[in-house]
Structure formats: structure tokens, C-alpha cells
Amino acid sequence: MRMSKMYLKTLREAPGDAEIPSHILLLRADMIRKLASGIYGFMPLGWRSLRKIENIIREEMDASGAQEILMSAVQPAELWEESGRWHAYGPELWRIKDRNGRDFCLGPTHEEIFTDIVRNELTSYRHMPQILYQIQHKYRDEARPRFGLMRSREFIMKDAYSFDRDREGLDKSYDAMYDAYTRIFTRCGLTFRPVEADTGAIGGKGSHEFTALSEVGESEIAYCEKCDMAATVEKAECRDCAPDPETVEMLPLEEVYTPGTKTIEEVAGFLGLPKEKTIKALMFETYDDDFNVNGYVAAFVRGDRDLNMIKLVNALDIPEHAIAFANEDKMGPVTGSVGGFTGPVGLHDCTIVVDSELTGLRNMCAGACKADHHMINVNYGRDYKADIVCDLKTLKEGDPCPCCGSPVKHTRGIEVGQVFKLGTKYSVPMGATFKDENQQEHPIVMGCYGIGVTRTLAAVVEQYHDDYGIIWPLSVAPYHVIITLVKPGDQAQRELAEKIYAELTERGAEVLLDDRDERPGVKFNDADLIGIPIRITVGKLAAEGKVEYKLRRESEKAEISADEAVVRALGLIEKEGRG
Ligand code: ATP
Ligand code: MG
């Protein structure tokens, strides 16, 4: 491609709403254009890189035995009603109506559609296993679209669905997808970690997130250096502390005056107690399908712990959007709670969820459900009971690893993909069944497997950039080589550049020829910004048949013959071009 003819408008500065490097650089390099909040289009360079990622995904999915199809992004509401998600999905579901008032949505994911396809066709055990996938635009009306392609409202996803006769079959399909994902993200050049992920109400060890390590990532990961435990903080189990021995006597419950001590720090300080001897209360209200408050929840954890919201919603078996912090002025009259002074004793008409370790701790301090007062010597069983007891704690950095006990570490990452054992979550309500050898009917056992294709593009930029721009790995670079022609008017330079361009192109390299009538500084800056991995500069030395050869990822430059530059470039492309 000759840059003099190319549709490219690089920017010196990114618009003010771009905060993270990938967002800034993809805009500045004119790879993406913003159309509306969370809605982006792809310009020639961005589209080329994106298609490279798609092709890596395609090659690896096909190699795993999965088959590509393409369904519509527009989905009829009826299917979502059958699965029960028309309501459960909440406001992220982008609902639309046709001219006759019939409900549809723009697909955020396609479990319903794929289950619908197979339900009348995979009717015998002989028809399975099957894995179908597609690469397609998805729509989610995210509450906070941000960071460009990272969390957008329209994005490209590869979604795959596996269909098996039993759990063993599912395990095999899952492992095949897990391995394919490992190859895909490796070929894209990403440094990533598969981590155990939350499976919501389904539970079990049925999901992994593939997380590209990055400071700007929204996933927090807990991992252990001693054993191989790695999980999202949402999912990570947190061990209970040791219970107090039975010999610790339960002291008489006592109300104490604790004026103005609304936080755990304040009350612990005021009473001279360690935070570990206190109980932290968190109040929530829950909503029905029409977003009316339908109940209150009080969650209790030890004073030094943090509540894990995902564990709470799983315990309650409600969707995340159906719960929020309570309006305490409204909750108080119903339940007896008092902002800043709520404790489990005396609370009524709400669901009480207690972290499991509290049940083994004696003589704790908690709010008295009375302004400016706390209770001391609060004991589970004697003074209060719970509707639900479970692990509600967030595993914090330094806490003991749930597997081996050594202190855990935290890191951040970008969730680029997820693999998930669905089991019969969709096949049962949607009636997708098959007959076994004995004509017995069973629900199909399913898995689903997503990759955020556009998010992966952004994740690569997060891991590969410097102050000057993007540093594409060869496997996903929009072009392999950029030939910077310093003076297009100089005949020797022009001829040599054209010769290299022709030779490289003929031998399968993807080459940009910067033949624009611009100052050399502008050309070098653009080359760095758009991040082409190999730069061959044709300048003053052209008369001697020499060029400057430089890799974007290295600072060294070599003055070598044009022939040698061609050989080197082709060698590197051969080695790294496919990833
Ligand atoms: P998140 O927790 O980031 O919202 P998710 O759990 O909702 O992700 P999935 O439903 O598993 O995501 O979707 C599969 C993949 O699609 C994710 O792993 C991610 O890479 C990508 N993805 C999800 N939401 C978005 C979005 N709003 N913008 C871009 N990519 C997304
Ligand atoms: Mg999401």
C-alpha cells in the first residue's frame, strides 16, 4: 500500500475522553473512530489488525474441530422468554421493537439461538459431540461504556457453543476450547493467565477467564506463587479464620454508648478493640422485574473484611442488577436498621446473610440498631441467627491461599475470553433433548466459550506500546514492513524504495510504502505511532544501495544493503508472522 493513496489521518493528540493507552493510541493511529458512546468503527489499519486476530481465532477454532456459522444479531424475544432471560438479563439487554410492536433484542450473546438451532436436530446421542461458533457483532447497553474497545456497547465476539451427551463429553469439549484459547492468545502475543472464574448460581469449577495481564484491566486476580491457585477475586474462595475455642466463655450481651462512631475504625478506636472483634454490616435493597423494591438484605462480615458482592448475589440467587445499597431512611422503619449502627441483633423483616467465620467467633462488637449505640459480647446462635451462612469475604492480598495457605498476591488483567460449562442450564428450559442407546431422553449438556475480539485488539496495544505509539507483534500488525522513503523527489531513493517494495510484496510480505510528500520527521513519527514492526528507511545512502533497517521494538538501527534488509525482513516474517 502506498501511503500517498491511503486513507489515514493520524492525530497528534487524542480526544480528551480517551484515558488509557490503547484507547488513546488506537484513536491517534486512526485505527478506530468513535461514532457514539461505546460505539466504534474501524479504519483501514485497525480493520486489518482485527481481521488478523479473527483469522488466528478461526484457524485455531477450525483446528479444534469447531465449525463456523453466522447467526443474525437480531433475536426474537420469545426465545429469551423461554430461557427466562428476557427479564433476568436486565437493562444491559438492548431491546428493540419492530413496526408491529413485536419485541426483539440485539444479541449480547447467543445461547438461546444456538440451543434453538440444535434442539430439533441433535436428537440422538449419535449426533454429538458438536461445537459451533461464529464471529459477530454483539450488543450490550453497558452502564458505563469506557476505555474505547475495552468496554463498548457494540463489540465483536467469537462465541462458541458445545453440545455433548454427558458431563464427560462436556469436559472434553471444554478442554479442547481451553487449549484452543491458549494457542489463540499466545499467537496474538499476549501475556495472559487462565484463572478460575465465577459461575454464578451454577457453581462448581466450571469456568475460566483468560486474562491479559495489565494495570488498566478491570479484572482483579488473586494468585499464589507457591501453588497454582489463580482465580478472579470475585470467585476466589476465602478461608475462615480459626474459630474461638469452645472454652472462651460467652459473656453477657451488653449495650454500650458509642456516640458518633459510624465506621468500624471509629467504633474499634472508641472501644479500644481490634477490628477483628467487630462485625461490619452492609444493607441492601432488592428489586423485582419492574425495578420496584421487593425486599431488604443485611450482610455481615468481620470488621476487617470486605464483602464480596458476587458471593452475596450468588447466595441470594438473584442477578447482579437486582440489588443495590439500601436507602436506609426507607429500610429503617421496615427492618429496624439504623444507619451506621446496624447489627444483627434485633433486626427483622430482612434476609440476614452472615459470613461463615462469624459463626465461630465469640464476644463480638456489633451495631445495636439504636443511634449512637453498639452491642458488645454478641455471639452467633445465642444472640442472632442467619437466613444464609456462607463465605461472603473478599480474598485480599496477603490473606492465606485457599489451597495451600501461603500469602496470596493480587494482580490486574483484562478479561479477553471466558470458557464456561453451562451444563443443562439452557437445554432443560428450552427442551433440547436427545435419545440415548436405550431410547431414554436426556437434556443436551452444553458449554459456551467467548472471546472479545475487539477487546483483544485493545489488550494487545496495552501490552505493546511505548511513549511514541503502538509496537505491534508481527502476527497482528496491520502491515509487516514500512518503507520510509525520505525524499520522494530523489530518483535514487525512489527507485530503491520501489524495488524493495516490489520484492517484499512479491514474496508475500505486507508492506506500506511511505511515499508521501511530508517531512521525514512526520513520517518517522507516524511509523512509530502506527507501530509497524519492521522499518526500512531509504535515504541518503540509497545511491550506494544501502538502507537503514530498524525494528519498532528495538532501538538499534543497522545500515545494511537493500538486499540484506529484504532477507532479514522476510526471515522475521517467516518466523513470527503467524504468531
Ligand atoms: P465483563 O465482566 O468484562 O463485562 P462478561 O463476563 O460480561 O465480561 P462474557 O459474557 O463472558 O463477558 O463475554 C465474552 C467476552 O466478550 C468477554 O470475555 C470479553 O472479552 C468480551 N466482552 C464482554 N463485554 C464486552 C464489552 N462491553 N466490550 C468489549 N468486549 C466485551
Ligand atoms: Mg459484562
Side-chain angles (χ1 to χ4, degrees):
M1 179 79 215
R2 287 167 199 278
M3 287 180 75
S4 59
K5 304 267 189 309
M6 186 169 165
Y7 205 106
L8 176 72
K9 185 96 193 81
T10 55
L11 303 173
R12 248 175 224 270
E13 307 256 348
D17 65 342
E19 296 166 80
I20 61 169
S22 60
H23 192 189
I24 293 171
L25 291 173
L26 287 168
L27 282 168
R28 284 192 51 211
D30 198 20
M31 299 218 164
I32 60 171
R33 295 271 176 99
K34 178 173 164 178
L35 193 60
S37 166
I39 311 275
Y40 289 85
F42 291 87
M43 298 307 285
L45 291 176
W47 185 236
R48 285 181 71 96
S49 281
L50 197 68
R51 276 186 302 168
K52 294 219 172 156
I53 295 175
E54 286 189 1
N55 283 336
I56 289 174
I57 294 173
R58 259 192 198 103
E59 284 178 14
E60 295 300 339
M61 291 300 291
D62 292 348
S64 79
Q67 297 154 70
E68 185 171 5
I69 61 174
L70 182 59
M71 293 293 107
S72 173
V74 180
Q75 307 184 3
E78 290 79 13
L79 288 176
W80 285 72
E81 270 153 9
E82 269 190 64
S83 71
R85 287 209 293 182
W86 185 251
H87 288 295
Y89 211 92
E92 234 179 62
L93 190 62
W94 203 314
R95 294 155 214 264
I96 52 175
K97 279 189 196 297
D98 72 7
R99 63 170 73 198
N100 301 313
R102 194 172 154 208
D103 286 314
F104 291 85
C105 67
L106 299 176
T109 172
H110 274 64
E111 281 79 7
E112 283 81 357
I113 308 307
F114 278 65
T115 310
D116 179 51
I117 293 179
V118 305
R119 64 176 155 182
N120 297 318
E121 287 156 14
L122 300 183
T123 50
S124 159
Y125 70 96
R126 280 186 249 104
H127 300 149
M128 286 177 281
Q130 281 288 353
I131 303 179
L132 299 174
Y133 78 97
Q134 61 178 350
I135 297 176
Q136 188 210 42
H137 278 94
K138 295 281 186 275
Y139 298 85
R140 295 184 184 181
D141 199 358
E142 297 272 354
R144 277 174 295 281
R146 58 184 192 143
F147 294 166
L149 300 183
M150 229 33 119
R151 184 165 299 284
S152 48
R153 298 198 293 167
E154 178 188 67
F155 58 97
I156 298 174
M157 197 203 284
K158 186 286 301 174
D159 49 329
Y161 306 86
S162 65
F163 306 94
D164 282 280
R165 59 176 300 182
D166 52 25
R167 278 267 152 195
E168 288 77 70
L170 170 59
D171 289 346
K172 273 198 197 136
S173 298
Y174 186 89
D175 290 348
M177 289 296 102
Y178 186 104
D179 293 345
Y181 277 35
T182 303
R183 289 192 298 272
I184 289 165
F185 295 122
T186 304
R187 286 183 61 187
C188 290
L190 287 174
T191 304
F192 66 94
R193 227 180 226 274
V195 300
E196 272 181 46
D198 176 52
T199 48
I202 294 179
K205 292 202 170 186
S207 177
H208 286 85
E209 281 176 11
F210 284 75
T211 314
L213 301 182
S214 163
E215 275 305 305
V216 304
E218 292 179 291
S219 298
E220 201 169 351
I221 301 160
Y223 68 99
C224 177
E225 282 176 333
K226 288 273 158 58
C227 70
D228 58 4
M229 190 285 294
T232 61
V233 168
E234 293 175 342
K235 159 82 181 177
E237 216 179 287
C238 185
R239 278 192 191 178
D240 287 353
C241 65
D244 287 329
E246 292 285 321
T247 49
V248 175
E249 201 189 326
M250 291 192 196
L251 301 173
L253 188 65
E254 202 182 307
E255 190 179 288
V256 289
Y257 181 52
T258 53
T261 60
K262 289 198 162 195
T263 64
I264 289 289
E265 282 72 26
E266 285 163 356
V267 69
F270 183 83
L271 295 173
L273 291 172
K275 285 201 275 183
E276 289 80 357
K277 293 301 290 179
T278 66
I279 297 177
K280 188 190 280 182
L282 294 114
M283 308 307 192
F284 300 93
E285 52 194 35
T286 55
Y287 308 102
D288 63 16
D289 291 342
D290 298 320
F291 285 93
N292 298 313
V293 174
N294 66 357
Y296 293 102
V297 175
F300 296 98
V301 293
R302 201 174 67 176
D304 59 313
R305 301 285 198 184
D306 289 337
L307 176 75
N308 182 321
M309 247 347 253
I310 297 293
K311 291 181 183 175
L312 180 64
V313 297
N314 288 344
L316 295 165
D317 197 10
I318 56 172
E320 258 177 275
H321 64 263
I323 185 165
F325 280 113
N327 175 340
E328 297 219 28
D329 293 342
K330 294 210 172 119
M331 180 173 179
V334 178
T335 67
S337 69
V338 176
F341 296 93
T342 303
V345 184
L347 208 56
H348 51 85
D349 291 296
C350 66
T351 307
I352 296 182
V353 192
V354 169
D355 181 62
S356 44
E357 78 186 352
L358 288 180
T359 62
L361 300 177
R362 300 245 156 130
N363 304 322
M364 302 292 283
C365 167
C369 290
K370 183 173 168 187
D372 293 331
H373 286 79
H374 280 79
M375 299 269 198
I376 54 170
N377 305 329
V378 176
N379 288 282
Y380 184 81
R382 183 190 71 178
D383 306 316
Y384 72 102
K385 292 212 171 58
D387 297 297
I388 303 172
V389 175
C390 63
D391 171 24
L392 283 181
K393 307 173 278 303
T394 301
L395 182 67
K396 288 198 261 194
E397 192 142 24
D399 283 344
C401 166
C403 301
C404 76
S406 36
V408 296
K409 298 209 155 169
H410 276 200
T411 186
R412 300 196 76 81
I414 300 161
E415 180 197 324
V416 284
Q418 181 164 24
V419 289
F420 199 107
K421 291 182 187 172
L422 290 169
T424 57
K425 183 173 175 187
Y426 294 90
S427 50
V428 166
M430 295 186 68
T433 59
F434 69 96
K435 290 210 170 87
D436 69 12
E437 295 87 335
N438 306 314
Q439 298 303 305
Q440 292 281 324
E441 200 159 307
H442 304 277
I444 298 176
V445 181
M446 290 173 53
C448 68
Y449 315 91
I451 291 181
V453 183
T454 41
R455 190 184 278 183
T456 298
L457 183 79
V460 172
V461 178
E462 286 303 331
Q463 290 190 353
Y464 291 92
H465 70 270
D466 62 13
D467 291 347
Y468 305 101
I470 304 169
I471 310 172
W472 291 109
L474 266 152
S475 61
V476 296
Y479 288 89
H480 300 134
V481 183
I482 183 164
I483 302 168
T484 304
L485 171 55
V486 175
K487 249 196 199 160
D490 178 296
Q491 200 187 344
Q493 289 187 26
R494 176 132 218 146
E495 276 169 13
L496 188 59
E498 291 285 355
K499 179 166 165 274
I500 300 169
Y501 180 54
E503 270 180 33
L504 282 173
T505 309
E506 194 176 305
R507 295 173 68 180
E510 297 166 17
V511 192
L512 275 180
L513 173 60
D514 194 351
D515 57 347
R516 293 176 299 172
D517 199 10
E518 289 282 1
R519 281 178 295 114
V522 171
K523 297 185 181 187
F524 290 130
N525 286 347
D526 276 349
D528 281 350
L529 176 61
I530 65 178
I532 307 302
I534 304 167
R535 190 178 81 200
I536 297 174
T537 306
V538 182
K540 280 200 207 92
L541 297 170
E544 303 162 37
K546 281 192 172 170
V547 297
E548 184 189 275
Y549 181 88
K550 182 181 174 301
L551 299 187
R552 175 68 178 88
R553 65 185 181 217
E554 288 171 7
S555 52
E556 293 95 78
K557 301 170 188 165
E559 282 181 2
I560 54 178
S561 72
D563 292 342
E564 170 71 10
V566 168
V567 170
R568 278 202 203 180
L570 291 172
L572 195 66
I573 296 164
E574 165 90 24
K575 195 158 149 246
E576 297 179 18
R578 278 175 47 82

